[in-house]
Amino acid sequence: MASSSSPAPSSQYPKPHDIFVSFRGEDTRGCFTSHLCDALRRSKIETFVDDGIEKGDEVWPSLEKAIEDSTLCLVIFSENYASSTWCLKELTKILECSKNQGHLVVPVFYKVDPSHVRKQSESYQKAFEELEGKGISKRLLHQWRKALAEAAGISGFPITNRVNEADKIKEIVESVKERLHKRYPSEYNREDLIGIEERMKHVESLLDKGSKDIRIICIWGMGGLGKTTLAEALYKKWHFEYEGSVFVEKVGEKSKKDGIDALRKELIWSLLGDKAIYSHTMTRLSRKKVFIVLDDVDDIEQLENLVGRCEFGSGSKVLITTRDKQVLRKKVDDIYVLHGLDPDEAFQLFSLNAFKKGYSDPKIRGLAEQVTEYAGGNPLALKGSIEGMIMDLSEVEETGVIIKAFRSMPNLKFLRVYGNLNVQLRNKLNASGMMFLSKNLMLLDWVGCPLKTLPTTFKGENLIEINMPFSKLTKLWDGEQNVHPSILSLHSLSCLELTGCTTLASLTSNTHLKSLCMLNLTGCSGLSEFSVTSEKHLFVLVLRDATINGELCSSSGHVSKIDVLDLGRCEGVTSLHKLVDMRTLRRLHADYCNKLASNLCSKFDEMRALQFLRLTNCSELYEVPDNISLLASLSLLDLSGSNIETLPLSIKHLSSLESLTLNGCKRLLSLPQLPPSISLLYVNDCLSLETLHLPLMSEDREGDQFSHERFSFRNCMKLDGQSIKAVEARVLLAINNNKAIYFWANMEYPGRRVAEWVMYRTTQSFLTVDLSSIPQPWDGAFIFCAVISGSSRWTNITAELFIDGQHASTFEHCSVGESLLSDHVVLWYAQRQCREVQRKIEEKKIEAQSNTSYHPLLQFEFAAFSLDDDETTVEIKEWGVCPTSAVEYQNYIKQIQLALLHCKSASRKRKYHSLLR
């Protein structure tokens, strides 16, 4: 009475919501959408709209989960739908769930032409023009355009000014109900749910479904018998017939984790269709005919707190599942004792999973009957790892055991081999022993395989993943490697992992593979010949540490649409374009590749999709050409360890560049104006660096959910004070303006004093602040500053905050780099922790409302320690804590803003004069 394969958690049913509604609030919330959602809920269809997210939730994860936890998604396209990035993110997620999890999608075109949505014309064109002006990446805009075009191509409901909206809403509701009814019955009527129909009839008779009586029925039985499966099937079949319904899973676990009150609220909210708790909640419930399932109850108190007959309307039914007999002390109306499968049912389930095509051999039938008898009719036990095998070679006493095991499992799909054979057996084992492997094998996982080759007699046409790291392979096959069906001609092959196979010398194929999306050859230090290609668009190729010399070439005559290419320490490689389609390459890691680095520059015009470029420790790289500005999608550039003296002026045109790393560039003298998009800048140990130009952010930033500003100038002893002040201004302005839920900011530079605008400072490890001394209004935010010295390469600095002696939060900064040459100033800020502190202070104030003179006492405890393995030390010479409402800090921010306004004004004047000329 259980499925032979468990679905992913996100696809499990019953789900919290039948419907997720994506809509533009400003267009339809007060009219069409509210009427539609009300009609859906009146039809007992669980409907989620974003009004249901509690204030303070992490908004996007909540929306993502709501989409995943729905069966059908209604997308209401209105005039301004595309002007909301939230709506576009929702739509992308909805279509992703449609492809991967089978979600139903129904579009509604509310007073817009579907062709305008599909082609992004009219108001949709205007919306995308505005989004482009906000600096949103081209990749994301392309993704959203594609989602709109795809969704608009789905048959839906047009709503025009000429139609009666009430009639159209009824039509939509009926269509939704029909689609949901078609989806759900198939869930409990599967052939692999052996014996479930008979058990459902028993429980339905106990529930007395047609009567007006309120019935509480308990399904009791041991673990693994299928209590939850049975309850799910009943819920799926009948919940639409009730005015309110809810399936509460893992009641015992949830009540212990979140508390019974929270679980009770969840139950009431689900039944009433909203999160408002009114004084007349009981009255509302008493008028509703409801169906409640409480799954896995393990304590009588849970029943007494969650259900009571006086709270529900006539004809309501409550179904409970439990394995605890003590729960049955609750006066339920009846108990259904769930037993295991009878012998025929057990054999039927086992056969379905084990044999697929039957069991003609009487010996096999006898063995199967022994298995089912041993399992005692437990469905969970009868579905064990029939198609998979894990073998520990250290327990094998003769090689014949391995061959017999492979012979006896013709349906084997998953094989994992681990452990080491003893020397004598390892010498006896050869490729011929593998010839008996199942042709159905999909996964071959053998770490440290002692074989030098795999046999050509092993077809393996269904192989999807091969994972054989640290093996002794010298080649993949005996005989000719490029004859079908060798591994490198299998079009089903998706992943090939041969990490650390140091004896592998050659990997070539004349076949342009169709499905290969991951080829990892990290540490194959003997690999000198390579020419494998794939037509898969998101192909990841890792050749780190290979000894390939010259050009990377293709023997199939095709190039690969590689997404990620790692050539770390492939020092002999000189070019890529004969193996790689440069137009699709998004990430390139080529540390220590001096020859390649010098030749890449001429290909920048072909690499428009490149987002990540790492050319670290390319000591022969002395100059970066102007045409780097052609890499319009570049968001990360790492040139650490190179010998460049500066970057070209054209670097400022890289509007997508967020992260720039130049650690250990000993000859670096200056940095020109960098693009405003830079939020991560690491130039540690650039001993010659004197100046840099980092522009201020010129507008308030709403930010994504995650945002950061991090700038590190560790051991940049020649960096001038003006440059440091400019970066400090950038960081403080970002702190002042950023509205992201998770925002971090930090800065590290040579210095001996805590910044002048810091309000509180000390040389001790403790600091006490009376809340009344902090200028108001204050949002609970602190900026921390410390002066450190020491030889540690890895330093952790913490500021523990206590409110009236109780721990409230930890503000932490980790500093990484070479040992400090002098004192350094570290400045850091963490927005989430600040909001946490603000909330706890407000709670303290509420608790002490009767005491008008109460002011919480804030205590800071500072510490710094080395995370190095050796006995290095870190010394903190001075600490500083500054609330963001501090007068000197606010005055400093105003000076920065005035300077910014002056710069903008001067820029406008320059543009005006240039027009006159």
Side-chain angles (χ1 to χ4, degrees):
M1 194 171 58
S3 169
S4 62
S5 61
S6 299
S10 59
S11 63
Q12 285 181 346
Y13 193 84
K15 295 182 177 182
H17 321 294
D18 296 315
I19 305 287
F20 178 92
V21 183
S22 175
F23 66 104
R24 181 67 164 126
E26 295 177 5
D27 290 354
T28 65
R29 176 181 275 115
C31 50
F32 179 79
T33 298
S34 60
H35 297 315
L36 175 59
C37 292
D38 183 60
L40 289 167
R41 286 166 177 157
R42 279 189 274 108
S43 296
K44 289 84 69 179
I45 297 172
E46 295 297 325
T47 305
F48 181 95
V49 293
D50 63 9
D51 293 342
I53 298 179
E54 282 190 301
K55 187 177 181 181
D57 275 7
E58 299 170 12
V59 179
W60 177 243
S62 300
L63 286 174
E64 255 191 330
K65 189 174 189 305
I67 293 170
E68 291 171 354
D69 288 346
S70 301
T71 301
L72 184 149
C73 296
L74 271 173
V75 184
I76 302 175
F77 292 114
S78 56
E79 182 179 8
N80 298 304
Y81 184 91
S83 65
S84 167
T85 56
W86 282 106
C87 289
L88 294 171
K89 287 173 71 174
E90 286 176 2
L91 179 63
T92 305
K93 180 65 179 180
I94 286 168
L95 293 176
E96 177 189 316
C97 289
S98 174
K99 292 175 183 176
N100 299 333
Q101 300 175 26
H103 282 39
L104 301 171
V105 181
V106 178
V108 176
F109 303 96
Y110 185 76
K111 299 182 180 179
V112 294
D113 191 313
S115 67
H116 296 167
V117 180
R118 185 169 58 254
K119 299 176 182 178
Q120 294 96 58
S121 58
E122 300 291 332
S123 64
Y124 281 66
Q125 179 181 355
K126 181 181 177 182
F128 270 86
E129 288 172 353
E130 292 175 353
L131 291 172
E132 288 173 359
K134 293 180 180 178
I136 294 175
S137 70
K138 291 181 180 179
R139 180 190 62 80
L140 199 54
L141 291 172
H142 175 73
Q143 186 180 27
W144 289 343
R145 286 183 184 275
K146 184 179 177 183
L148 286 168
E150 183 178 341
I154 300 171
S155 177
F157 296 89
I159 311 291
T160 66
N161 289 320
R162 298 179 180 178
V163 303
N164 184 305
E165 289 191 12
D167 291 341
K168 209 67 176 177
I169 285 174
K170 290 179 183 177
E171 183 184 343
I172 293 172
V173 171
E174 289 305 312
S175 175
V176 165
K177 288 173 66 174
E178 183 181 354
R179 296 183 194 210
L180 291 176
H181 273 297
K182 285 181 179 178
R183 171 62 58 92
Y184 294 152
S186 62
E187 295 290 330
Y188 67 84
N189 199 27
R190 300 195 311 263
E191 65 174 8
D192 56 346
L193 295 180
I194 307 296
I196 197 169
E197 288 290 347
E198 192 66 28
R199 288 162 175 78
M200 286 176 68
K201 289 177 183 177
H202 280 295
V203 179
E204 286 169 350
S205 66
L206 296 177
L207 284 170
D208 197 7
K209 204 181 73 61
S211 73
K212 294 185 177 180
D213 295 336
I214 301 172
R215 299 277 291 171
I216 302 179
I217 302 300
C218 179
I219 300 175
W220 173 78
M222 65 179 287
L225 291 181
K227 299 183 295 297
T228 300
T229 302
L230 178 57
E232 284 179 349
L234 289 162
Y235 183 85
K236 294 170 194 174
K237 184 176 181 181
W238 298 118
H239 85 282
F240 281 111
E241 297 192 10
Y242 293 81
E243 296 171 318
S245 58
V246 61
F247 190 111
V248 186
E249 58 183 6
K250 300 179 180 178
V251 170
E253 179 183 322
K254 286 184 176 179
S255 63
K256 291 178 178 64
K257 180 182 178 183
D258 303 322
I260 196 67
D261 289 339
L263 202 58
R264 181 176 173 80
K265 284 182 181 179
E266 177 188 329
L267 184 142
I268 293 173
W269 289 342
S270 298
L271 293 176
L272 295 181
D274 56 53
K275 289 197 172 184
I277 299 296
Y278 302 102
S279 57
H280 57 283
T281 292
M282 295 304 124
T283 304
R284 292 176 67 193
L285 282 175
S286 67
R287 294 197 296 260
K288 274 203 168 191
K289 176 185 174 184
V290 301
F291 185 21
I292 301 171
V293 178
L294 302 178
D295 181 46
D296 201 14
V297 175
D298 61 14
D299 191 287
I300 192 172
E301 296 293 327
Q302 295 159 11
L303 289 183
E304 292 173 350
N305 282 282
L306 293 176
V307 296
R309 298 184 185 203
C310 61
E311 297 178 0
F312 310 117
S314 174
S316 294
K317 311 297 177 186
V318 179
L319 187 60
I320 299 158
T321 75
T322 185
R323 65 175 71 179
D324 188 349
K325 288 186 178 180
Q326 296 301 316
V327 173
L328 303 183
R329 289 188 298 157
K330 174 77 179 179
K331 293 183 179 179
V332 297
D333 293 300
D334 220 325
I335 300 168
Y336 178 71
V337 180
L338 183 61
H339 297 290
L341 302 177
D342 63 37
D344 286 339
E345 290 172 335
F347 183 74
Q348 187 181 352
L349 177 61
F350 180 77
S351 299
L352 183 67
N353 284 278
F355 307 123
K356 307 297 181 187
K357 294 183 179 179
Y359 41 88
S360 56
D361 192 327
K363 292 183 179 179
I364 293 179
R365 165 130 197 167
L367 179 62
E369 287 175 344
Q370 290 180 38
V371 171
T372 55
E373 182 180 355
Y374 179 77
N378 189 305
L380 195 62
L382 290 165
K383 296 186 305 164
S385 303
I386 307 298
E387 296 175 342
M389 180 172 72
I390 299 175
M391 178 180 292
D392 183 356
L393 293 181
S394 62
E395 297 181 0
V396 174
E397 297 180 359
E398 57 180 61
T399 57
V401 172
I402 301 174
I403 297 172
K404 289 177 183 177
F406 294 160
R407 272 181 180 272
S408 62
M409 293 194 174
N411 294 319
L412 196 66
K413 291 183 178 179
F414 311 101
L415 172 62
R416 182 181 179 217
V417 183
Y418 69 97
N420 294 318
L421 284 165
N422 64 50
V423 176
Q424 184 179 1
L425 293 180
R426 188 168 66 244
N427 292 335
K428 287 184 178 180
L429 185 64
N430 55 45
S432 62
M434 301 281 287
M435 64 185 295
F436 300 107
L437 278 174
S438 165
K439 67 178 181 179
N440 296 314
L441 198 66
M442 299 169 66
L443 168 66
L444 175 59
D445 187 341
W446 192 336
V447 179
C449 175
L451 302 177
K452 293 183 178 181
T453 64
L454 298 177
T456 50
T457 50
F458 166 47
K459 303 299 183 185
E461 55 259 38
N462 292 304
L463 275 169
I464 294 175
E465 180 175 346
I466 301 173
N467 182 28
M468 302 183 73
F470 306 104
S471 299
K472 301 301 181 184
L473 295 172
T474 57
K475 57 182 179 178
L476 291 177
W477 299 90
D478 276 330
E480 180 59 44
Q481 290 186 13
N482 298 318
V483 174
H484 183 77
S486 75
I487 284 179
L488 295 180
S489 64
L490 296 178
H491 287 311
S492 63
L493 188 65
S494 172
C495 178
L496 178 58
E497 291 264 1
L498 298 174
T499 305
C501 295
T502 57
T503 54
L504 187 67
S506 174
L507 201 66
T508 63
S509 174
N510 291 329
T511 304
H512 190 45
L513 299 179
K514 290 183 178 180
S515 302
L516 189 65
C517 59
M518 163 62 83
L519 176 53
N520 191 349
L521 300 169
T522 300
C524 294
S525 55
L527 186 67
S528 59
E529 186 180 12
F530 177 85
S531 64
V532 178
T533 60
S534 172
E535 63 184 63
K536 195 74 173 177
H537 183 63
L538 298 178
F539 182 30
V540 176
L541 174 60
V542 184
L543 292 172
R544 179 171 287 271
D545 299 317
T547 52
I548 302 168
N549 289 311
E551 297 179 326
L552 285 176
C553 297
S554 165
S555 55
S556 68
H558 298 82
V559 291
S560 292
K561 296 179 179 179
I562 293 180
D563 182 55
V564 179
L565 177 61
D566 189 342
L567 294 171
R569 294 188 180 274
C570 293
E571 301 176 31
V573 173
T574 58
S575 66
L576 314 172
H577 63 280
K578 291 185 179 180
L579 181 78
V580 180
D581 185 343
M582 306 296 278
R583 298 169 300 176
T584 66
L585 191 60
R586 291 199 305 163
R587 295 185 178 222
L588 175 60
H589 304 261
D591 45 307
Y592 293 94
C593 295
N594 277 302
K595 297 175 183 177
L596 177 62
S598 60
N599 290 332
L600 273 180
C601 303
S602 62
K603 298 294 179 182
F604 281 165
D605 61 325
E606 299 179 28
M607 304 168 70
R608 304 296 177 101
L610 196 66
Q611 297 175 3
F612 284 63
L613 177 59
R614 294 187 188 274
L615 298 174
T616 63
N617 296 299
C618 293
S619 57
E620 296 177 21
L621 182 64
Y622 293 94
E623 185 180 22
V624 177
D626 285 337
N627 67 349
I628 193 172
S629 59
L630 298 174
L631 304 180
S633 301
L634 195 66
S635 63
L636 180 147
L637 177 62
D638 190 345
L639 302 176
S640 297
S642 67
N643 274 307
I644 61 171
E645 294 185 1
T646 188
L647 291 174
L649 295 175
S650 62
I651 196 80
K652 67 182 179 182
H653 299 303
L654 293 179
S655 59
S656 299
L657 190 63
E658 297 178 357
S659 176
L660 176 61
T661 304
L662 300 167
N663 293 334
C665 293
K666 307 294 185 183
R667 296 165 58 110
L668 187 66
L669 295 173
S670 64
L671 288 176
Q673 181 177 338
L674 299 175
S677 55
I678 289 285
S679 59
L680 297 173
L681 178 61
Y682 299 107
V683 286
N684 299 314
D685 304 300
C686 294
L687 304 180
S688 303
L689 181 64
E690 297 176 355
T691 61
L692 62 88
H693 186 181
L694 183 69
L696 297 174
M697 298 302 296
S698 59
E699 70 279 339
D700 287 357
R701 301 198 303 172
E702 294 183 7
D704 296 322
Q705 183 185 359
F706 296 90
S707 185
H708 42 66
E709 294 277 329
R710 294 180 173 174
F711 304 97
S712 184
F713 308 102
R714 193 177 176 112
N715 289 333
C716 293
M717 309 306 298
K718 293 185 179 181
L719 187 60
D720 71 312
Q722 186 176 352
S723 296
I724 292 173
K725 281 292 182 183
V727 177
E728 181 190 62
R730 164 67 179 268
V731 171
L732 296 182
L733 202 62
I735 292 172
N736 198 60
N737 294 340
N738 203 289
K739 302 298 186 292
I741 295 174
Y742 294 94
F743 172 61
W744 299 271
N746 58 56
M747 179 182 177
E748 186 172 348
Y749 58 92
R752 291 186 170 85
R753 295 296 306 274
V754 166
E756 295 176 357
W757 44 263
V758 174
M759 184 172 180
Y760 305 103
R761 60 187 67 209
T762 181
T763 57
Q764 307 299 315
S765 58
F766 292 92
L767 179 67
T768 300
V769 175
D770 191 325
L771 191 65
S772 62
S773 70
I774 297 178
Q776 299 298 322
W778 174 57
D779 61 0
F782 287 110
I783 303 172
F784 293 87
C785 194
V787 179
I788 65 172
S789 66
S791 58
S792 175
R793 290 170 49 87
W794 192 354
T795 301
N796 202 57
I797 308 171
T798 60
E800 302 273 356
L801 173 60
F802 299 83
I803 303 176
D804 292 338
Q806 294 183 339
H807 184 269
S809 190
T810 300
F811 297 83
E812 188 173 25
H813 170 75
C814 188
S815 176
V816 182
E818 296 296 327
S819 298
L820 298 179
L821 299 177
S822 68
D823 294 349
H824 275 58
V825 176
V826 178
L827 181 151
W828 75 101
Y829 169 85
Q831 187 142 295
R832 185 180 67 83
Q833 283 86 340
C834 290
R835 289 180 175 172
E836 185 179 83
V837 169
Q838 183 184 24
R839 179 179 59 80
K840 290 183 178 180
I841 289 176
E842 292 301 321
E843 289 175 356
K844 289 282 186 181
K845 287 183 176 180
I846 292 171
E847 290 174 6
Q849 275 183 343
S850 58
N851 185 358
T852 56
S853 62
Y854 171 74
H855 292 288
L857 197 64
L858 309 181
Q859 298 161 307
F860 296 91
E861 182 177 342
F862 306 112
F865 49 91
S866 169
L867 299 177
D868 293 341
D869 293 333
D870 55 13
E871 298 180 358
T872 54
T873 58
V874 179
E875 181 184 358
I876 304 298
K877 295 189 173 181
E878 188 179 12
W879 292 98
V881 179
C882 187
T884 52
S885 60
V887 175
E888 290 192 9
Y889 169 77
Q890 286 297 323
N891 287 339
Y892 191 47
I893 290 293
K894 289 176 183 176
Q895 292 176 26
I896 297 170
Q897 291 169 335
L898 284 172
L900 187 60
L901 285 172
H902 177 74
C903 290
K904 290 172 69 176
S905 176
S907 175
R908 283 195 293 267
K909 288 179 180 178
R910 284 194 296 272
K911 288 180 181 177
Y912 175 71
H913 288 302
S914 66
L915 287 172
L916 291 178
R917 289 196 294 269

